[in-house]
Amino acid sequence: MRHSISYTVLGMLMILLSACATAPKKPTPLPDAQVNKLKTMRLDSRLPVPVKGVSRNQLSDTWGAARSQGRSHEGIDIMAERGTKVYSATEGLVADLRNNNLGGKVIWIMGPAGSWHYYAHLDGHKRGLNVGDYVRKGDLIGYVGNTGNARYTAPHLHYGIYLNGKGRGAVNPYPYLR
């Protein structure tokens, strides 16, 4: 009798786990009022360096450098030790938190003037950070790492700015941070 109950419970758990693993995750819609507010704000021409302890004069302009598969670098790399705190360079809405092959652990933040800010190769996101959270300039969002296609490189933050939507209209972030 005990074994049949255990197998029944185990079977139910397996069905539940399989349903959770295969259920498509619906994107979390961003709050319209906050999106509209951000779109009316001006994007500052000078942003803070988003990595703790890194000064402006330590930055290198890696924009446009050749990358694998004929790509060019759509951002700059900010070198720092693994686990160094990463802060939001602007206020905005956390629009996406994910793990992908190229950027590894990434955060997308929709910021002022409809700008999109891309933080990649993170070692991790700030615990409790969720899509839809509103962050202020200087809020902790994650930690420097070398995930994704940077796994064989020194830890760094890849920081990108896009002005025509998520992943569209890349601009060089270096002048914003210098």
Side-chain angles (χ1 to χ4, degrees):
M1 176 81 171
R2 275 178 62 174
H3 289 295
S4 65
I5 291 173
S6 297
Y7 286 120
T8 303
V9 170
L10 183 60
M12 290 171 60
L13 282 173
M14 289 178 69
I15 290 169
L16 284 171
L17 286 173
S18 133
C20 291
T22 58
K25 191 174 180 181
K26 294 180 183 175
T28 304
L30 299 177
D32 288 336
Q34 290 178 328
V35 167
N36 292 333
K37 174 189 170 203
L38 285 166
K39 286 181 178 179
T40 64
M41 294 172 63
R42 184 182 62 79
L43 177 62
D44 290 339
S45 60
R46 187 167 176 162
L47 300 174
V49 176
V51 179
K52 181 178 182 166
V54 176
S55 67
R56 295 180 190 284
N57 62 1
Q58 291 176 281
L59 299 176
S60 295
D61 189 355
T62 56
W63 170 263
R67 291 296 187 258
S68 63
Q69 301 168 349
R71 296 176 301 111
S72 64
H73 199 222
E74 291 187 348
I76 67 166
D77 292 335
I78 303 171
M79 309 309 286
E81 290 186 31
R82 176 182 319 283
T84 302
K85 292 178 178 180
V86 173
Y87 302 107
S88 180
T90 65
E91 67 178 281
L93 281 167
V94 176
D96 202 354
L97 297 169
R98 71 176 56 221
N99 197 353
N100 65 42
N101 292 333
L102 216 54
K105 290 181 182 163
V106 304
I107 299 172
W108 282 96
I109 293 180
M110 183 194 178
S115 60
W116 288 79
H117 302 262
Y118 181 62
Y119 303 82
H121 306 309
L122 298 168
D123 197 44
H125 307 125
K126 174 189 158 195
R127 185 176 304 214
L129 189 68
N130 293 298
V131 170
D133 287 352
Y134 197 88
V135 294
R136 303 230 178 270
K137 182 188 297 188
D139 281 356
L140 175 66
I141 57 171
Y143 305 91
V144 169
N146 65 337
T147 57
N149 69 353
R151 66 187 158 275
Y152 301 114
T153 68
H156 64 277
L157 171 70
H158 169 95
Y159 176 62
I161 300 175
Y162 297 84
L163 299 181
N164 297 332
K166 183 180 176 189
R168 296 190 320 269
V171 296
N172 187 352
Y174 185 77
Y176 288 86
L177 301 177
R178 274 303 280 169

